Amino acid sequence: MEEKFRRLIFVPIAAVLCFMIGYQYVCPAGSDACYFGGHLPERAWPRHAEDDLLGARSRFHFTPRDLDRRAGFDIRGDDVMVFLHIQKTGGTTFGRHLVRNIQLEQPCECLPGQRKCTCHRPGKTESWLFSRFSTGWSCGLHADWTELTSCVPLVMNKKTSLKRKKKFYYITMLRDPVSRYLSEWKHVQRGATWKSALHMCDGRPPTRAELPACYSGEDWTGVSLADFMDCPSNLANNRQVRMLADLSLVGCYNVSSVDQLERGRVLLASAKANLRNMAFYGLTEFQRKTQRLFERTFGLRFIRAFTQLNGTRAASVGIGEKVQWRIEGLNALDVELYDYAKELFLRRYQYERQKQRREERLRRRQARRRLHRNYLVELLRLGGGEEEEMTTTEDYSSQVVRW
């Protein structure tokens, strides 16, 4: 009776096993053609029209190290994330995501009515985040790369009793130069000044002669776009390059120390290098991709998805073709930097998407192998066979035939 039972149960088990072996050959691990529902990736990597731009020949040479930016950020250790906040790049929204929207073992404590949040490491009183919404403007209002790299280590060491060497992970956001410039103009037109910014470089702020004011009153409220563009010392011009470059290389704000063309070349090269070597940067125009790349870079997850807002004040400003050309001319360095940043960003996104797909395929292949083995072990047990060491699908097939 027992032998008859074994023979009866062998038939369906053998059928399932043969199906699984056939599936391995018809749908190999490297193919997505036979994907069935039931296990979805953590988050989809949607394909967009701009991805097709990467098929064209690149103007830039990016190495594998430039594309693979896994940070290995240790929130429990001594690592510090430093957010370089460039004006009118969506940095306020992104800064809020950092303190309110990340899944953390010990979430940031944000009390109602307070601008700053407390972002401590798990089980410690140290902060893992240096940003406007966590530590405030500790290195000055909208401090740039030159200011932050000399100031942040001193500030963060003062906040801890143990003077351990920390590793700093710089991050930032960039935006299309024309849109960013128009947004800054509208902001200044409403009364913004940023007069309290320090602009420290080589241990001192710029003199009035090095950085003359564009207006004589308390602010520049009501300024027209024409007057905004006419001020040669307007820091809105090429702001993104200036804030990402090492200003010490060109004599800081002393524009007479280096020829103008050479100054622009050095600043642009420095900004590109610093941006490329940052742990992460995002683009205002690609919110969801910025979210995905950040999550993959730092191994952290956001609670809510980022939202793409196209109805900005800059988008509502109607300008003619000649005005746009002039804005692009005033921001020629930023235009070049953004072209570079956009291609690198999209290539990093593409690289990480392909990398995750490979990881998903490997997990599915390993899961299939475990399932095959479990079926075969059960089949051999019921049939009275002996389990052998098997590592490939061919091993399973040969064992079944031999049995």
Side-chain angles (χ1 to χ4, degrees):
M1 186 69 179
E2 184 178 352
E3 181 66 23
K4 184 177 180 180
F5 174 75
R6 286 186 176 182
R7 290 180 181 277
L8 287 175
I9 201 169
F10 166 73
V11 175
I13 294 177
V16 172
L17 181 60
C18 291
F19 170 78
M20 297 302 296
I21 294 174
Y23 177 84
Q24 178 73 20
Y25 287 100
V26 176
C27 304
S31 170
D32 293 324
C34 302
Y35 177 74
F36 296 101
H39 175 71
L40 294 174
E42 292 181 350
R43 276 198 179 124
W45 290 75
R47 183 174 181 84
H48 297 284
E50 64 269 4
D51 294 341
D52 296 329
L53 299 175
L54 299 181
R57 186 177 180 84
S58 173
R59 294 172 51 199
F60 314 104
H61 174 67
F62 297 121
T63 66
R65 180 182 178 277
D66 296 333
L67 301 181
D68 192 348
R69 301 302 295 169
R70 296 294 181 90
F73 182 73
D74 184 7
I75 196 171
R76 288 180 164 273
D78 298 309
D79 295 349
V80 179
M81 192 182 300
V82 183
F83 180 36
L84 193 163
H85 185 170
I86 302 174
Q87 290 94 318
K88 313 314 295 179
T89 60
T92 298
T93 299
F94 185 75
R96 289 197 178 102
H97 281 306
L98 293 176
V99 298
R100 297 177 181 271
N101 193 27
I102 297 182
Q103 295 178 4
L104 296 172
E105 180 182 344
Q106 182 172 331
C108 295
E109 185 179 355
C110 302
L111 300 178
Q114 294 186 3
R115 292 187 177 183
K116 292 193 298 182
C117 302
T118 302
C119 297
H120 287 160
R121 306 182 192 278
K124 299 181 181 179
T125 58
E126 302 174 3
S127 179
W128 58 268
L129 175 65
F130 185 99
S131 75
R132 166 188 179 182
F133 293 116
S134 58
T135 54
W137 301 112
S138 301
C139 290
L141 180 63
H142 286 287
D144 54 36
W145 188 91
T146 306
E147 294 175 289
L148 288 177
T149 52
S150 62
C151 169
V152 169
L154 299 176
V155 171
M156 295 307 292
N157 282 332
K158 287 181 181 179
K159 294 180 180 293
T160 58
S161 56
L162 298 177
K163 306 303 179 184
R164 297 185 299 266
K165 186 176 181 180
K166 293 179 174 57
K167 187 173 182 180
F168 299 101
Y169 294 79
Y170 285 84
I171 63 176
T172 193
M173 290 288 292
L174 295 182
R175 186 179 180 183
D176 170 75
V178 174
S179 297
R180 198 214 65 80
Y181 189 84
L182 290 172
S183 182
E184 180 164 343
W185 161 60
K186 297 296 289 184
H187 197 55
V188 170
Q189 192 181 57
R190 296 191 301 273
T193 63
W194 298 301
K195 286 190 294 186
S196 59
L198 301 177
H199 305 304
M200 295 293 290
C201 181
D202 285 348
R204 69 174 182 87
T207 65
R208 187 175 294 272
E210 290 173 336
L211 189 59
C214 288
Y215 52 90
S216 56
E218 288 296 318
D219 53 43
W220 215 359
T221 300
V223 61
S224 66
L225 180 57
D227 289 341
F228 190 76
M229 293 188 293
D230 284 342
C231 179
S233 60
N234 190 348
L235 291 181
N237 300 339
N238 293 312
R239 182 179 289 278
Q240 295 179 101
V241 165
R242 180 185 62 78
M243 292 189 68
L244 291 174
D246 182 357
L247 300 180
S248 301
L249 299 175
V250 292
C252 299
Y253 291 88
N254 183 6
V255 296
S256 62
S257 62
V258 181
D259 175 75
Q260 184 176 359
L261 290 178
E262 177 65 11
R263 179 183 178 87
R265 185 193 67 79
V266 172
L267 287 177
L268 179 60
S270 177
K272 285 181 177 180
N274 290 336
L275 184 71
R276 183 175 62 249
N277 293 323
M278 279 185 170
F280 168 82
Y281 71 88
L283 299 182
T284 308
E285 289 75 18
F286 302 100
Q287 290 291 319
R288 296 301 295 274
K289 291 185 176 182
T290 293
Q291 175 184 351
R292 291 298 292 116
L293 276 181
F294 181 92
E295 291 175 335
R296 290 282 288 182
T297 300
F298 289 102
L300 299 171
R301 297 293 301 275
F302 289 101
I303 301 169
R304 297 175 301 278
F306 286 16
T307 303
Q308 188 72 54
L309 297 177
N310 296 318
T312 62
R313 290 187 175 91
S316 64
V317 177
I319 58 173
E321 190 175 26
K322 290 184 178 179
V323 174
Q324 177 160 338
W325 287 348
R326 188 175 179 200
I327 293 175
E328 290 174 351
L330 291 170
N331 294 273
L333 299 180
D334 271 11
V335 170
E336 177 67 20
L337 176 67
Y338 187 78
D339 287 345
Y340 177 88
K342 182 178 179 180
E343 180 170 331
L344 178 55
F345 176 86
L346 292 177
R347 290 193 182 279
R348 283 179 177 176
Y349 178 87
Q350 184 184 58
Y351 177 88
E352 285 298 332
R353 182 174 62 182
Q354 293 172 348
K355 189 173 183 179
Q356 186 177 24
R357 285 176 175 174
R358 288 194 297 269
E359 293 170 357
E360 288 289 333
R361 288 196 295 266
L362 178 60
R363 281 194 290 268
R364 292 200 296 270
R365 181 175 61 186
Q366 292 172 342
R368 286 197 295 269
R369 285 180 173 176
R370 286 193 298 269
L371 185 59
H372 293 167
R373 180 178 178 82
N374 291 339
Y375 271 120
L376 184 55
V377 168
E378 182 65 16
L379 180 63
L380 293 175
R381 186 184 68 80
L382 293 173
E386 297 294 332
E387 179 184 353
E388 297 181 5
E389 184 65 26
M390 293 164 286
T391 58
T392 66
T393 303
E394 288 77 7
D395 292 334
Y396 297 131
S397 304
S398 60
Q399 178 67 6
V400 170
V401 172
R402 188 165 61 253
W403 182 79

